[in-house]
Amino acid sequence: MLAKRIIPCLDIMDGRTVKGVNFVDLRDAGDPVELAEIYSREGADELVFLDISATEQKRKTLANLVYRVAEKVNIPFTVGGGISSVEDVDILLQNGADKVSINSSAVKNPQLINDLAAKFGSQCVVVAIDAKNIKGEWIVHLVGGKVPTELNLFEWAKEAEERGAGEILFTSMDHDGTKDGFANAALARLSDELNIPIIASGGAGNIQHFTDTFTYGKADAALAASVFHFKEIAIKDLKEELEQAKIPVRI
């Protein structure tokens, strides 16, 4: 069995790392380059950077941040936020990113998934999906969770895979920042219906939550933010406990 991955997520706004609850009430969590270096040293398997306030004008700023991070870390990292073209991705990869995450732009222009997979390979393309459970149906939301669509989570994830996505990063908006555990039923269904890795996001509060999402949620990777940023869980301790629970991890 492939090793399960632990992925700290850094939400970036105006060059700083921020964290909120249910996508609102953001607070400062530190310098992203310093945090990236710490996580790389402490045993994170990958990093995800999401520029949550990205606009086209900020592309150059984000590229500079990517370059600074690439100088400090020796693990793969994914960058997302405001990416809407092959050219955007080219700039980020040239500056040291290993993968890119697309979300709203993929919904608005699904062909972008095909184009990126064709140019850079599926392994480079992560499709991030923010969804909320509304009357029993998981509904995809855009623009940092502010705009609901008519898309169903599972149907959209399947289409993304068929178009060439290499991974799905699913964030449950209902669980985000609550520290009540991941959306394991939805994650398990995604894992059963798709053939590409599923990254769990939203709800990490303790080590048991990670164990549960790898076991019951069948996730291939677990992403978290505040529990790492505010030193509530040490990556070393997390991996040791996962190993004791017979969950394969890289120590």
Side-chain angles (χ1 to χ4, degrees):
M1 187 186 291
L2 288 173
K4 303 295 188 179
R5 290 170 287 149
I6 301 299
I7 308 177
C9 178
L10 292 89
D11 290 334
I12 310 298
M13 179 179 280
D14 300 325
R16 296 288 293 179
T17 307
V18 296
K19 185 60 193 136
V21 177
N22 302 127
F23 285 43
V24 295
D25 298 329
L26 302 176
R27 59 175 170 150
D28 189 274
D31 177 78
V33 180
E34 290 176 8
L35 286 171
E37 189 173 11
I38 290 168
Y39 294 142
S40 177
R41 195 168 60 235
E42 290 183 347
D45 297 295
E46 297 184 19
L47 296 170
V48 168
F49 284 76
L50 299 176
D51 188 339
I52 61 174
S53 59
T55 63
E56 283 304 314
Q57 290 84 351
K58 284 192 174 179
R59 179 60 46 225
K60 198 174 291 185
T61 307
L62 185 57
N64 178 259
L65 175 62
V66 168
Y67 181 81
R68 288 164 55 215
V69 169
E71 287 188 309
K72 299 288 187 181
V73 305
N74 57 3
I75 56 176
F77 74 105
T78 301
V79 180
I83 295 169
S84 59
S85 68
V86 168
E87 292 72 27
D88 288 342
V89 174
D90 212 20
I91 290 168
L92 295 171
L93 296 181
Q94 284 181 30
N95 279 275
D98 297 284
K99 299 186 252 187
V100 293
S101 169
I102 54 175
N103 190 332
S104 298
S105 60
V107 172
K108 293 170 183 173
N109 174 24
Q111 180 63 32
L112 180 62
I113 304 172
N114 303 66
D115 295 345
L116 295 181
K119 177 75 185 284
F120 305 108
S122 288
Q123 82 290 339
C124 178
V125 184
V126 179
V127 172
I129 305 175
D130 301 330
K132 181 182 288 188
N133 194 322
I134 299 175
K135 297 179 181 177
E137 184 179 0
W138 285 95
I139 301 297
V140 176
H141 285 59
L142 307 182
V143 195
K146 297 180 181 71
V147 180
T149 70
E150 295 183 355
L151 289 175
N152 170 277
L153 162 66
F154 305 102
E155 293 171 2
W156 172 232
K158 189 64 181 173
E159 180 180 342
E161 177 185 32
E162 291 168 353
R163 287 181 174 276
E167 291 183 281
I168 297 294
L169 167 54
F170 163 51
T171 300
S172 165
M173 294 173 60
D174 301 306
H175 294 70
D176 177 69
T178 64
K179 300 186 181 179
D180 289 334
F182 294 93
N184 290 323
L187 286 160
R189 182 175 167 187
L190 282 170
S191 183
D192 288 341
E193 294 185 4
L194 275 63
N195 298 304
I196 55 177
I198 308 298
I199 304 169
S201 170
N206 57 49
I207 289 176
Q208 187 62 45
H209 291 153
F210 287 87
T211 304
D212 290 345
T213 205
F214 290 135
T215 305
Y216 307 118
K218 303 181 184 179
D220 299 280
L223 177 148
S226 58
V227 291
F228 296 140
H229 299 341
F230 303 118
K231 298 180 171 51
E232 294 162 31
I233 297 176
I235 293 171
K236 179 174 177 288
D237 296 342
L238 171 57
K239 286 194 166 186
E240 286 176 355
E241 291 211 28
L242 289 171
E243 190 177 46
Q244 288 175 8
K246 302 291 190 289
I247 294 169
V249 289
R250 295 184 192 90
I251 297 294

